[in-house]
Amino acid sequence: KRDKTFVKDLTNSHVHVKRVAAMLRTAGVGNVRVPELRVRPSIEQRAEFSDHGDILVGDKVVEVKERRIQFTGPGDFPYPDLIVDVAHKKPADVYIFTDTRMNAMLLRGDTRAEWTEKRLYDRPKGRYRNFYLAPTRLCQPWVEGVRDCFAV
């Protein structure tokens, strides 16, 4: 199945990832790298064009997840669980969740044992998919999470 908005969504996501990388640098995190954006020529080539993380911090793989809601951290996130990622992907080392105002919280990938897997309807994709869900209580506020995950 073809995704009509794939290139636009990928480009917008890359811009957002660069903003989060700048936030990490401003917070004192060194060795922050955003891999070059590569757009697959066709859906058949998706495997060879799949990324291996939105941001690389040294040898740590970081995935950025933009949420279209408002929160300042785990304390006021409006749900007890949050969708981490699609379940077929290997968990990243760190997940950074941002809200509509660029507030952020972090989730360590090594908490995976406490996550659950659930089949949910993916509205943008128009189909059901399996997702990892994590208890919001496992997330860390931005300053604490950056310090903990990146030894700043």
Side-chain angles (χ1 to χ4, degrees):
K1 184 174 180 179
R2 305 214 179 268
D3 187 344
K4 294 179 183 87
T5 63
F6 173 77
V7 174
K8 179 181 171 225
D9 294 344
L10 184 64
T11 303
N12 289 342
S13 173
H14 196 68
V15 169
H16 186 76
V17 164
K18 286 181 174 182
R19 290 178 70 194
V20 174
M23 289 170 57
L24 286 168
R25 290 183 191 106
T26 299
V29 178
N31 201 14
V32 176
R33 188 169 67 81
V34 177
E36 178 185 344
L37 178 64
R38 297 174 49 216
V39 179
R40 66 180 188 227
S42 70
I43 197 166
E44 291 76 23
Q45 294 173 294
R46 67 183 171 268
E48 60 201 84
F49 277 79
S50 65
D51 70 13
H52 301 288
D54 293 326
I55 299 172
L56 303 174
V57 178
D59 61 351
K60 290 186 179 186
V61 175
V62 179
E63 286 287 335
V64 176
K65 302 296 177 183
E66 184 178 6
R67 297 294 180 244
R68 302 205 185 286
I69 56 175
Q70 290 187 357
F71 59 88
T72 59
D76 66 353
F77 191 78
Y79 305 104
D81 297 306
L82 73 157
I83 297 171
V84 179
D85 210 342
V86 289
H88 68 268
K89 292 170 79 175
K90 177 184 179 235
D93 296 304
V94 179
Y95 291 86
I96 299 176
F97 298 90
T98 61
D99 81 342
T100 56
R101 299 165 299 176
M102 294 303 290
N103 291 308
M105 61 184 182
L106 288 77
L107 175 69
R108 297 173 62 110
D110 62 8
T111 63
R112 167 65 187 97
E114 296 184 61
W115 304 356
T116 58
E117 191 173 320
K118 189 170 184 178
R119 187 167 176 80
L120 299 169
Y121 188 73
D122 185 338
R123 279 184 293 232
K125 300 286 183 194
R127 65 179 190 261
Y128 283 90
R129 301 170 81 192
N130 291 331
F131 290 93
Y132 288 132
L133 276 71
T136 302
R137 65 176 169 71
L138 297 176
C139 292
Q140 298 174 296
W142 176 254
V143 173
E144 177 187 326
V146 167
R147 200 177 313 125
D148 181 50
C149 294
F150 304 110
V152 173

